[in-house]
């Protein structure tokens, strides 16, 4: 099962970075491979958590796949957890966490593990997904600089 994890310090607050990653509808504007994202359902839970059910369409060259995830947004814990519901994967689990360093910086942790249902799709898309996931942290950091202003050193 392919896995990827990274942790990096960014020059934006934990709350700002949480809000940026939680804004899933904006992903097609800057997330590698993401062509479309539609939130099908939103609900609130006790403790301020929000649950989304979202469809994401990813594409590379002539290949397009849509998959559905359940995304739990927990602003108090500063954790976002996406779990696979339907699509071309047999498994997908994605976690983000945002730990404050100070008022203007945080440590962002990103992890994902997944496996394609089809060996053919895994052979065609596996390396592309791996490269895209390695670009995620940079894509979100660049997006934060655009939305919140360049990070202060």
């Amino acid at each position: 099962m392919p896995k990827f994890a990274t942790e990096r310090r960014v020059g934006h607050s934990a709350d700002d970075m949480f809000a940026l990653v939680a804004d899933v509808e904006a992903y097609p504007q800057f997330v590698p491979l993401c062509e479309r994202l539609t939130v099908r359902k939103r609900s609130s839970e006790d403790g301020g958590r929000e649950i989304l059910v979202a469809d994401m369409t990813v594409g590379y060259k002539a290949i397009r796949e849509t998959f559905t995830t359940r995304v739990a947004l927990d602003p108090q814990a500063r954790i976002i957890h996406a779990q696979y519901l339907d699509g071309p994967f047999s498994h997908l689990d994605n976690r983000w966490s945002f730990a404050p360093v100070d008022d203007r910086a945080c440590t962002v942790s990103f992890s994902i593990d997944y496996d394609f249902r089809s060996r053919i799709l895994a052979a065609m898309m596996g390396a592309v997904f791996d490269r895209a996931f390695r670009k995620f942290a940079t894509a979100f950091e660049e997006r934060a600089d655009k939305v919140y202003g360049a990070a202060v050193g």
Side-chain angles (χ1 to χ4, degrees):
M1 192 172 333
K3 295 180 181 185
F4 176 73
T6 187
E7 186 174 282
R8 64 198 295 165
R9 183 180 167 148
V10 298
H12 298 284
S13 75
D15 290 336
D16 283 350
M17 290 305 296
F18 177 92
L20 188 109
V21 175
D23 184 15
V24 297
E25 286 99 341
Y27 285 13
Q29 298 172 36
F30 69 97
V31 172
L33 302 181
C34 181
E35 294 185 349
R36 193 177 62 129
L37 194 138
T38 305
V39 175
R40 278 197 218 173
K41 181 181 171 186
R42 277 182 199 272
S43 60
S44 296
E45 291 186 342
D46 291 340
R49 284 180 19 132
E50 186 175 8
I51 304 298
L52 312 177
V53 174
D55 294 329
M56 179 186 269
T57 300
V58 295
Y60 179 74
K61 296 188 179 183
I63 300 170
R64 301 282 169 283
E65 292 288 343
T66 299
F67 61 96
T68 305
T69 56
R70 176 190 183 273
V71 182
L73 307 171
D74 187 340
Q76 286 184 307
R78 295 185 185 100
I79 293 173
I80 297 173
H81 183 204
Q83 295 175 295
Y84 177 72
L85 294 176
D86 189 42
F89 298 97
S90 58
H91 169 80
L92 183 139
D93 190 79
N94 171 221
R95 292 178 186 266
W96 291 88
S97 66
F98 310 89
V101 172
D102 58 33
D103 290 346
R104 297 184 315 197
C106 70
T107 300
V108 177
S109 299
F110 169 82
S111 67
I112 189 163
D113 64 88
Y114 63 97
D115 205 4
F116 289 100
R117 194 178 305 275
S118 155
R119 288 181 189 239
I120 294 169
L121 190 59
M124 292 182 347
M125 293 294 288
V128 173
F129 266 57
D130 186 59
R131 282 193 305 274
F133 292 140
R134 293 181 189 282
K135 294 178 182 177
F136 267 34
T138 301
F140 280 91
E141 195 169 350
E142 289 172 355
R143 177 70 175 178
D145 287 348
K146 184 175 180 180
V147 171
Y148 302 121
V152 178

